[in-house]
Amino acid sequence: MKLQEDLKHTDRLLQLTKEFSSKFLSSLDRLAADKMVDIPVRQVMPAEGVGGVAALELFRQQYGNAVTAAVGPRYWGFVTGGVTPAALMGDWLAATMDLNSSDKGSAAFAIETETIALLKQLFGLPEAFLGCFVTGATMANFTGLALGRQWLGQQRGIDIGKEGMAGLHDLQVVSCVPHSSVTKSMAMLGLGRDNVVKIPALPGRESVDISALRAYLESRNGQPVIYVASAGTVNTVDFDDIAAIVELKKQYPFWLHIDAAFGGFAACSEHYRHLLNGWEEADSITIDAHKWLNVPYDAAMIFSRHPGLQVDVFQNAGAAYLGDPAENFNFINHIPENSRRLRALPAWFSLMAYGKDGYRHIVEENVALAQQLGGLLNEHPAFRLLAPVRMCVVCFTLNVQAAEQEEAVDRFLLALNATGVVCMTRTVYAGQPGIRAALVNWRTTANDVQLAFQTMKEVVATVLNLYTYA
């Protein structure tokens, strides 16, 4: 039986996997940051199996040419960090040990508890917050909104976690520039993605107009809502004025959830920490780990001041084998997932290996490189910044006539990503078609910025022959 044969040769399989991984990592600079993938041949499910060695070779043949350097220094598409060496060590061990991080019968529970404590120190969050690992920012936002929904029900004398939402109406989620994962979570929670109330932003910003928010809250006549604050918008890394929102919280009833998926890492630098002033007064906070923490997918944290509400929503009621949620703390009674990979371990390794200074350097270096790219674009007549470079995202467009802009942007981005040198993504900002480059990878250097910009100049010289400068 192939499985028993592989058991006898596990060391060899691990060595082959290590060699494949090492070769991949050493070739990051030569691999395309992005490419169009076409896998014409589909494998047939084998009756007996081929064993681990042959499976690795099949993988190499089937997918080897389609693997991209998404972990590399010039992948600036999704806000995705690379994987630090120490995080890779932790992830390998997490897979090897295959521990359920909610199991108190192993070190897993203690590892997650300690990692959350380390993260609160890194971000300067009070001990009052309970932190839990989830799969990503979407599930963290889902959890924060689920708690807000439970709180809204309490304000009306209803335990939504127990009784459901029948008879409830006008449960509103309010925001200025919410991430798509917020409205997706609203759909999953039965709040309805169309029921988000968008408050105007300040002129030329993605930061909420506090006076408009105050007027909206006043119009509610004391009816509570959920407010989702942005701590780093996806287009321009703009921040709501959290301190001002906290002051409003003293006057009006609302649940304050802060989506700080990557903007929360501003706390690592004394230059940017002020952007989060007041966030310690939030009810719940989302921070993503597979973004600026530079650990592997999938990992994020939800921090909450209300563990009791979490139990109301997420408890495993009636599961005797899991124990009484009221008597024995367990992460599974505070978040959506029961079966939970030890995703805290890569974070623990990376935090211990590189410390506060290491993460301060990553954040400040990425911001400096984004500003360098922004400066280069600003000086070139073919490009135009759509917003100031506030932190790690550069949002820009092509300097062509408005009627031609959308087509020109599409052509340019398609051609740029096809080079494989760098990957960026399409966006729309202030109604204008644009492009965004997100720099959150620990590997990125000034040389990468120069190489990417040189490629951009070569591509745009070809594309703009078809269009008219604005």
Side-chain angles (χ1 to χ4, degrees):
M1 185 178 180
K2 293 294 185 181
L3 181 57
Q4 295 303 318
E5 291 178 20
D6 278 357
L7 176 61
K8 295 176 185 178
H9 304 291
T10 300
D11 285 350
R12 183 188 177 209
L13 296 178
L14 291 176
Q15 180 61 33
L16 289 172
T17 305
K18 172 185 173 294
E19 290 171 3
F20 181 92
S21 301
S22 296
K23 185 176 180 180
F24 167 76
L25 291 174
S26 65
S27 63
L28 281 180
D29 277 341
R30 299 188 300 276
L31 289 175
D34 182 70
K35 64 165 60 174
M36 297 297 293
V37 174
D38 181 23
I39 308 294
V41 180
R42 298 297 175 187
Q43 297 294 331
V44 176
M45 178 67 184
E48 297 181 1
V50 298
V53 173
L56 179 59
E57 183 56 32
L58 278 174
F59 170 78
R60 193 194 317 271
Q61 294 174 11
Q62 180 87 344
Y63 302 110
N65 291 332
V67 175
T68 58
V71 74
R74 293 184 301 279
Y75 179 84
W76 301 342
F78 298 128
V79 187
T80 307
V83 179
T84 67
L88 179 58
M89 294 166 64
D91 200 57
W92 192 330
L93 288 176
T96 300
M97 298 182 297
D98 197 24
L99 297 176
N100 181 346
S101 61
S102 299
D103 183 3
K104 292 186 175 181
S106 74
F109 181 84
I111 290 169
E112 180 162 357
T113 302
E114 182 175 328
T115 306
I116 289 295
L118 294 172
L119 287 164
K120 286 195 284 190
Q121 293 172 41
L122 178 68
F123 297 125
L125 290 174
E127 280 300 310
F129 279 99
L130 170 66
C132 308
F133 271 85
V134 292
T135 56
T138 298
M139 196 50 63
N141 281 335
F142 174 90
T143 305
L145 290 175
L147 302 184
R149 185 187 66 171
Q150 184 72 8
W151 176 83
L152 285 178
Q154 279 190 352
Q155 309 312 300
R156 303 185 184 193
I158 297 174
D159 184 341
I160 292 177
K162 183 183 293 184
E163 303 170 37
M165 295 177 62
L168 285 175
H169 65 280
D170 196 29
L171 299 186
Q172 294 195 341
V173 176
V174 186
S175 190
C176 179
V177 185
H179 188 268
S180 61
S181 64
V182 171
T183 50
K184 180 176 183 176
S185 297
M186 291 172 65
M188 292 190 288
L189 287 164
L191 295 168
R193 63 170 58 90
D194 288 345
N195 289 326
V196 64
V197 177
K198 293 187 179 180
I199 305 299
L202 293 169
R205 297 279 303 278
E206 290 186 309
S207 177
V208 69
D209 184 329
I210 294 297
S211 62
L213 177 58
R214 180 185 293 108
Y216 169 79
L217 294 171
E218 184 68 31
S219 73
R220 293 286 296 171
N221 295 318
Q223 285 294 312
V225 297
I226 300 170
Y227 183 77
V228 179
S230 293
T233 57
V234 75
N235 274 339
T236 67
V237 202
D238 210 345
F239 286 67
D240 282 347
D241 186 340
I242 297 171
I245 294 170
V246 167
E247 287 300 310
L248 289 179
K249 205 170 186 297
K250 297 175 183 177
Q251 305 169 48
Y252 304 98
F254 61 92
W255 178 277
L256 176 55
H257 175 73
I258 299 179
D259 183 356
F262 63 99
F265 287 86
C268 298
S269 168
E270 63 181 14
H271 299 300
Y272 304 105
R273 195 175 299 142
H274 67 278
L275 296 169
L276 297 166
N277 284 349
W279 77 328
E280 66 278 1
E281 301 299 328
D283 293 295
S284 54
I285 300 173
T286 284
I287 304 179
D288 213 335
H290 58 243
K291 290 184 169 59
W292 232 338
L293 197 65
N294 279 245
V295 303
Y297 278 113
D298 51 13
M301 296 78 63
I302 177 69
F303 293 94
S304 162
R305 283 185 167 277
H306 306 276
L309 284 180
Q310 289 179 260
V311 173
D312 288 344
V313 177
F314 297 113
Q315 63 179 282
N316 285 270
Y321 74 101
L322 294 176
D324 187 343
E327 296 178 1
N328 298 300
F329 174 85
N330 196 307
F331 289 110
I332 62 175
N333 294 313
H334 293 77
I335 49 174
E337 305 97 342
N338 279 357
S339 299
R340 305 174 64 243
R341 188 177 190 272
L342 186 52
R343 56 179 60 91
L345 190 55
W348 184 90
F349 262 80
S350 205
L351 290 167
M352 295 304 293
Y354 311 119
K356 287 185 177 181
D357 285 347
Y359 279 98
R360 175 191 53 76
H361 173 77
I362 291 172
V363 168
E364 293 181 353
E365 180 71 5
N366 285 158
V367 173
L369 294 172
Q371 291 172 343
Q372 178 186 342
L373 177 62
L376 292 170
L377 293 172
N378 204 38
E379 294 171 1
H380 195 285
F383 302 104
R384 175 164 54 86
L385 291 179
L386 289 174
V389 180
R390 296 186 173 88
M391 288 192 74
C392 58
V393 176
V394 183
C395 188
F396 66 99
T397 192
L398 301 186
N399 198 20
V400 298
Q401 296 290 340
E404 302 175 326
Q405 197 172 54
E406 185 166 0
E407 182 181 337
V409 164
D410 287 343
R411 283 181 179 272
F412 170 79
L413 189 57
L414 185 65
L416 178 67
N417 288 347
T419 68
V421 172
V422 66
C423 175
M424 301 180 191
T425 51
R426 175 83 147 74
T427 193
V428 176
Y429 177 74
Q432 296 187 67
I435 299 164
R436 49 181 294 284
L439 285 69
V440 291
N441 190 302
W442 67 273
R443 293 176 181 270
T444 307
T445 67
N447 288 337
D448 293 305
V449 172
Q450 291 292 342
L451 177 57
F453 183 63
Q454 179 61 36
T455 306
M456 293 168 71
K457 289 192 296 182
E458 294 169 2
V459 171
V460 82
T462 301
V463 170
L464 286 195
N465 283 335
L466 306 171
Y467 304 99
T468 307
Y469 275 98

